[in-house]
Amino acid sequence: MPQPRFVLGAFDHEQWCQVLQTMLPVTDPGPLREMLGGMADDDPELEQNYILDDHQFAAIVARFNVSLDTARLDSRDLTIFLFQLRRVDEVPYLIHGGYELPLLLDGRKKLARMGGYYPPMTFEGEDRFDHWVAEGALHREEVTEAFDAPIQTLRGQTCLGARTVYYTPKGEEWRIPAIKLISHASDQSGGWNEYFERLEGMLFGYEDWQNDWWIKLGPRGGGFDGVRCCCAVTGAGLAWIESTGFRALPPIDRPALTIMIYDRDTEADLYAAMLKDPDSAAVVRFNMVFGNFRKLWDLPRGGPWDLPAGRIAEFNSLLRGSIAIVARRDGAVEDAPAKSQVSTGLA
């Protein structure tokens, strides 16, 4: 198992992004856990993000002999945080997520898409973006889509609809209808794939080599496919998945379906655990945009999560791309979609 790596950083509320980071030389997470106190009681792997008070910040700096020179910053509205690096943090270029505002103002990012379910009718930090709209530096467009009936997420939040806010630098407004068109095209052609992902990346402002790297990573380690999950299915469930063209999880005759995060470092152990149930015929892997997954469950907690039987249809509407069979009870490990899925990328 790779040694976990932790980062200490500062978030600037004026610029609405991280402005300082330093790596902690952690070989034993025990002392770090002690410094976090009760905050980490329900997080055995220290996978959550932690906001630190002044005492915790000073203790960590002293214990690990690191420097985070906040005094040289103009801003005084800072939050100090700690997090464990994930694979997405190892991308060899700056992912725009979390840095949207300064990148838009600098012209490096051409389009930002923010939002989620409502209420509330705002996203965190929206006032900072709208300040620059009022200053004439950014263009803004808001889209709301009411649900036919209110829904309740698995986290217990009652939602009335979805709300998306788009921002572009002035002169780049054309990118908003373009990204809407791409989304519509994917819905009409069997789902998201690497070609839509490349077009979306270009509209956001990523360079060609960055899109190349991201798409190459995606099928192997999660990348553009989003949060990579898996679950066990019965023989009947497997046949049902195949009948849908590998686009949806099957209905079940028990209260809930157990969902787990797919981890390629421990995949053999994961498959073995999921196939212990004598009714399980196979393990399937599927993907969901990180933001959609967070609407349903708290992350990062590692799971497993119980998906109520009555919510499977809703869950299926949020899946991205095709479902892959990755292990069968007979021992065959496929780690790829069915042959019919990989020839063109379209259903």
Side-chain angles (χ1 to χ4, degrees), residues 101 104-105 123 126-141 165-170:
L101 182 55
L104 283 168
L105 295 174
F123 64 86
E126 187 166 346
D127 61 319
R128 297 309 309 152
F129 285 77
D130 289 349
H131 166 79
W132 292 102
V133 174
E135 291 290 318
L138 299 179
H139 170 78
R140 179 187 191 275
E141 182 175 328
V165 185
Y166 299 93
Y167 295 94
T168 70
K170 284 298 184 72

Side-chain angles (χ1 to χ4, degrees), residues 219-258:
R220 188 177 70 249
F224 73 82
D225 290 325
V227 180
R228 181 163 282 196
C229 309
C230 58
C231 70
V233 295
T234 63
L238 185 58
W240 196 93
I241 291 173
E242 293 172 346
S243 74
T244 68
F246 295 86
R247 294 295 179 184
L249 297 176
I252 58 176
D253 58 3
R254 57 185 186 277
L257 180 67
T258 299

Side-chain angles (χ1 to χ4, degrees), residues 117 119 151-159 294-298 308 311 314:
Y117 290 165
I151 67 169
Q152 188 173 47
T153 70
L154 298 176
R155 299 172 64 181
Q157 178 186 4
T158 300
C159 301
R294 289 199 65 179
K295 295 170 190 174
L296 301 173
W297 290 299
D298 289 316
R311 305 295 296 275
E314 175 194 346

Side-chain angles (χ1 to χ4, degrees), residues 17-19 21 83 88-104 106 108-109 201 204-207 209-211 213-214:
C17 70
Q18 300 175 34
V19 290
Q21 288 186 357
F83 69 95
V88 72
D89 299 308
E90 299 173 6
V91 174
Y93 55 87
L94 179 64
I95 293 181
H96 296 176
Y99 299 93
E100 291 92 348
L101 182 55
L103 291 177
L104 283 168
D106 193 46
R108 293 172 58 189
K109 185 169 182 60
F204 284 145
Y206 289 104
E207 300 178 30
W209 75 268
Q210 295 169 340
N211 287 320
W213 190 93
W214 185 253

Side-chain angles (χ1 to χ4, degrees), residues 166-232:
Y166 299 93
Y167 295 94
T168 70
K170 284 298 184 72
E172 302 289 349
E173 295 88 346
W174 63 270
R175 294 174 185 265
I176 298 176
I179 203 165
K180 293 178 183 178
L181 185 63
I182 289 173
S183 178
H184 178 72
S186 72
D187 291 342
Q188 299 300 308
S189 58
W192 200 261
N193 58 47
E194 67 179 80
Y195 308 111
F196 295 126
E197 185 72 15
R198 181 177 296 277
L199 289 170
E200 183 181 71
M202 294 169 71
L203 287 174
F204 284 145
Y206 289 104
E207 300 178 30
D208 287 343
W209 75 268
Q210 295 169 340
N211 287 320
D212 290 341
W213 190 93
W214 185 253
I215 290 170
K216 183 179 179 181
L217 172 70
R220 188 177 70 249
F224 73 82
D225 290 325
V227 180
R228 181 163 282 196
C229 309
C230 58
C231 70

